[in-house]
Each structure stands twice: as C-alpha cells, then as structure tokens.
Amino acid sequence: MKIKGIRWWMIGLVTCGLMVNYLARNTLSVAAPTLMSEMNVSTEQYSHIVVAWQIGYALMQPIAGYIVDAIGTKLGFAIFAIAWSLACAAAALASGWQGLAFVRGLLGVTEAAGLPAAVKTTTEWFPAKERSVAIGWFNIGSSFGALLAPPLVVWAILQSGWQLAFIIVGALGIVWSLAWLWLYKHPRDQKRLSDTERDYILSGQEEHFKDATPKKGSWKKVVISRNFFAIASARFLSEPAWQTFNAWIPLYLMTERHMNIKEIAMFAWLPFLAADLGCILGGYLSPFFHKHLKVSLFTSRKMVMFLGCSCMIGPACIGLVESPYTAIALLCVGGFAHQTLSGALYAITSDSFGKNEVATATGVGGMFGYFGAALFTMVLGIMVTKVGYSPLFVVLAIFDIVAALLVWNVARPLKSAPNEPTLNGTPATA
C-alpha cells in the first residue's frame, strides 16, 4: 500500500532521533546544580565537563559526516545513535568530574552524526523548495529534546537521583535506533512511495542530486568553496549562543535568579519551546519570502537567517531587567532567534553541496561551530564568576549579527538551480 506524503513521515522519524540526541546532551545541564553539589564540582570544573563534550563533538563532526556519506544514512545514523545511547547511560557510573568529563566526551564523539544525517535525509527526500520547511520540522527535535530535559531530570532526581535520568535517556536512544533500522529506507528502496511523489521529489532537486551514480564526495572540494567559508564562519560565531543556552540556563536561573530546582523544572524549558516556534516559523518564512517578495530561494534563506540573528538583541538586554520572569522571556527570544537562524543556515548548506557531499559539509561546518562553542565555554567558565552572565549575552548577540553579515555578503547560489516542483500538476505546498 502506498502512503501519501511519506516524505513527511521520514522527517518525523528524524525529528524523534534528534529529540533523543538533544535530550541526552541537555540532561547534564538540568542535573548540574544537583550533581555539582553532590560531587563538589566547581563552576570552572563544570565548564571543563561541557568543553569535553564540545571538543569531542567538534572533532568528530567532519568524520561522522563523511562516514554517513560513505555508508549511507540508514546504517550510519543507527550506529552512532546506539553508541551515543550507551555513552549517555554511562554517565550514571561517574564518581568525579574527571570521569564525567570522559563519558561526556564520548557522548560528544558519538552524537556528532545526528545533524549531518538529518540534513542528508532532507536532501534525499525533499525538493529544494521544501527543504527549509523540512529542516524546520526536524530542527524541532533539537529544541524539543532540550524542552523535555527539565521536567524529566527533576522527576528522576526527586524519585531516585540524577543517575536515573541518564539511564532513562540512554534506553530511549536504543529504542529509537531499533525503530530507525526497521522503518527508514532511501526513496529508491521505499516501496510505499508513490510514483507521483517520487517524480515530485526528483523534479524539484538540483541536477547533481538526480544522478543515479553521483561522484564520490570530496573534502577538498567542500572546504575550498566560497559558500563553505561563509557557512563555517557563521557556525563558528553562532553556535556558542545555542550551546550556552543548552548547558548554562538551569545554572544561570539558580545562581543569578535564585530559583530552586522545582522552579527550574517549571521555567527552564520555556526558551526551548520558543526555539520550537523558531524552527517552524523559520522553515516556512523561506518559501514565504520566495513567493511574496519575488526573491530566489537562496536569498530567502539568507533573509531568514538575518532576521533570526537580529532577534538575538533580546537576550543581550538580559542584564537590564530585574524580574526573573522577564529574564526568562528574553531567553525565550534568544531560543526563538537561534533556531530560526540555525534552520536557515542548514538550508543554505543543503542547497550548496551535492548529496554525497552535504553530510560532509554539515559535519565540517559543525566542527568549526563547536570549536567556537568550546572556546566560548572556556571563557565563560572563567569570566562568569568575575563579570556575571549579562556581558557574555551581549557578546553572543554581536557574534550572531556578524555571522549573518558574513553569510549575506559571501554566500552565493549554485549555478544549477532546481526546477519548480509540482504535485498532481499544481505547485506544491508543505
């Protein structure tokens, strides 16, 4: 039996995978106040634990992307997902900050394939016109995972201890991995894909995506391209903001805004709910700008990114407010801003490289992003006790605006533009 719109079911499966991926990385930040107290971990030592994850993630991203391009999306994603699930659960065995840093480093290495595999899935299953929408939906997984972390981890702490949270999330990752191996298939192998939908997908893809025997991806070709320079620079500048949100919001709310663990469970997830809205709205804004402002798809992606970066002015003002609830509202603006710009940047990446290069390009770009995040985290771990969080949020906003300017002025569309896709003879909508 053919399934109508099966491409959206495939992206839903990816979304669930990224939800578990981000739940695993955000479990630490919510558990941090409790485990730092129990294990006598200082703020600077906590920053070392976070950096261990970021360095592992950064170093592995280009390798993970290359592996996914080489062995395929289905097998590549599954192998890494099983590995990150085991690494997440292993954190429950840590007895000191050094041991926790080690297993979190392993988690970073194994989680590195998540976004390259997700972007590659999008290029396989969607025409160019719909890619920003698809990316917006799968990007929900990243912020939804972070959204679920506060209530889940606080519940685990109150029931048994912070160790239980890591075990639960690891088990969820194993369950998803098995579901992925069972359900995911490439469009050429998916028997439930109708001929009409297959033609629709192919008609809206770039010529280099339609080649049945595409050329092997080349690292050199990826990294020397003009667009990669723009993407990598933007990732280096913009990723510190999202990683700061993921790793430091609960600690910020406890130390700066004097919230207790139950209040953190009530409010720490709100910026990630706003991030979900940014994922969705950012995905739909690109085709909206393309249609109503009569600009190219590529230009519409850059416009969405610029809009998201501009909204980072919100959290930059956090030091000007006294109310903790106003501070949370400004953090919500920041979550919305980052996921709007992030989805646009992934769409630009998917438009800029062939299907045997896109995971590699995403991975190498991610390496630059997480090196930037690691450098900023090291600075934050030292400076937060000296100057507080507020000046650092200002710096993050400046970084994002510079990133948008770089992409706007440097990135250029490829020469091989896709055809306008139609479904059943009419222009398609998401």
Side-chain angles (χ1 to χ4, degrees):
M1 184 183 74
K2 305 297 183 182
I3 299 178
K4 185 177 180 181
I6 194 172
R7 65 193 186 281
W8 297 105
W9 288 97
M10 293 298 104
I11 214 65
L13 191 58
V14 171
T15 301
C16 291
L18 290 182
M19 181 182 72
V20 178
N21 183 293
Y22 271 76
L23 183 57
R25 67 181 72 175
N26 281 275
T27 299
L28 174 68
S29 65
V30 183
T34 301
L35 68 83
M36 287 172 69
S37 176
E38 291 183 8
M39 298 168 66
N40 196 27
V41 175
S42 69
T43 301
E44 186 173 347
Q45 290 169 338
Y46 174 69
S47 74
H48 296 333
I49 297 169
V50 175
V51 167
W53 180 89
Q54 292 171 340
I55 293 295
Y57 195 96
L59 290 173
M60 194 62 186
Q61 275 244 293
I63 300 172
Y66 188 81
I67 290 172
V68 171
D69 275 334
I71 69 175
T73 314
K74 180 173 183 174
L75 184 59
F77 208 170
I79 290 172
F80 279 97
I82 292 169
W84 89 53
S85 301
L86 296 175
C88 178
L93 303 175
S95 58
W97 77 265
Q98 296 94 336
L100 191 54
F102 175 75
V103 294
R104 294 300 287 186
L106 289 179
L107 181 68
V109 168
T110 52
E111 283 195 315
L115 286 170
V119 174
K120 186 174 177 67
T121 302
T122 305
T123 62
E124 291 173 346
W125 272 95
F126 286 84
K129 184 177 181 180
E130 284 186 345
R131 267 184 225 144
S132 68
V133 178
I135 288 172
W137 281 106
F138 83 56
N139 222 12
I140 281 181
S142 62
S143 46
F144 195 72
L147 182 154
L148 288 177
L152 171 63
V153 175
V154 171
W155 175 85
I157 290 171
L158 295 176
Q159 292 297 315
S160 174
W162 58 267
Q163 294 89 345
L164 177 62
F166 290 95
I167 294 170
I168 291 173
V169 176
L172 288 174
I174 296 294
V175 171
W176 179 86
S177 302
L178 296 175
W180 173 262
L181 285 170
W182 177 40
L183 297 172
Y184 184 79
K185 290 181 176 63
H186 189 281
R188 66 173 173 266
D189 302 320
Q190 180 54 260
K191 296 180 180 179
R192 298 186 183 278
L193 175 64
S194 69
D195 293 338
T196 301
E197 188 172 2
R198 181 179 289 105
D199 292 342
Y200 165 67
I201 293 169
L202 291 176
S203 69
Q205 290 186 336
E206 298 87 339
E207 290 302 319
H208 52 260
F209 275 45
K210 301 176 187 178
D211 190 356
T213 56
K215 296 180 181 179
K216 185 178 179 181
S218 167
W219 285 48
K220 182 178 179 181
K221 182 181 176 183
V222 167
V223 299
I224 65 174
S225 68
R226 177 191 183 111
N227 280 9
F228 179 77
F229 171 78
I231 291 164
S233 300
R235 290 294 303 275
F236 183 85
L237 291 165
S238 64
E239 197 61 46
W242 187 236
Q243 296 312 310
T244 299
F245 276 46
N246 277 278
W248 294 89
I249 280 182
L251 205 56
Y252 166 77
L253 294 177
M254 177 169 283
T255 58
E256 293 283 314
R257 299 296 174 170
H258 310 295
M259 289 187 171
N260 59 41
I261 190 169
K262 291 184 178 180
E263 289 174 318
I264 289 173
M266 291 174 62
F267 296 107
W269 57 273
L270 289 173
F272 301 103
L273 175 62
D276 281 336
L277 299 177
C279 292
I280 299 171
L281 180 62
Y284 283 99
L285 276 178
S286 178
F288 178 85
F289 289 157
H290 172 58
K291 178 179 180 180
H292 295 282
L293 300 183
K294 309 301 181 184
V295 297
S296 69
L297 272 176
F298 200 79
T299 298
S300 73
R301 319 280 205 220
K302 294 197 287 186
M303 292 172 68
V304 174
M305 184 179 174
F306 204 91
L307 174 65
C309 290
S310 300
C311 290
M312 279 298 293
I313 294 172
C317 299
I318 203 165
L320 303 177
V321 302
E322 294 184 5
S323 167
Y325 306 109
T326 306
I328 290 169
L330 292 175
L331 290 173
C332 288
V333 174
F336 173 88
H338 183 85
Q339 290 301 78
T340 300
L341 73 91
S342 175
L345 194 53
Y346 284 125
I348 289 169
T349 306
S350 72
D351 290 346
S352 298
F353 299 94
K355 65 181 177 182
N356 269 25
E357 298 170 337
V358 68
T360 301
T362 304
V364 181
M367 179 184 72
F368 281 88
Y370 281 88
F371 274 140
L375 288 172
F376 189 83
T377 299
M378 286 188 284
V379 173
L380 192 151
I382 297 170
M383 295 301 295
V384 72
T385 57
K386 301 180 184 300
V387 302
Y389 286 87
S390 300
L392 300 172
F393 281 119
V394 174
V395 172
L396 292 173
I398 294 171
F399 281 177
D400 276 7
I401 292 171
V402 173
L405 290 171
L406 270 170
V407 170
W408 187 270
N409 289 289
V410 177
R412 295 289 183 269
L414 297 182
K415 294 181 180 179
S416 58
N419 298 320
E420 186 79 2
T422 59
L423 191 58
N424 298 325
T426 59
T429 60

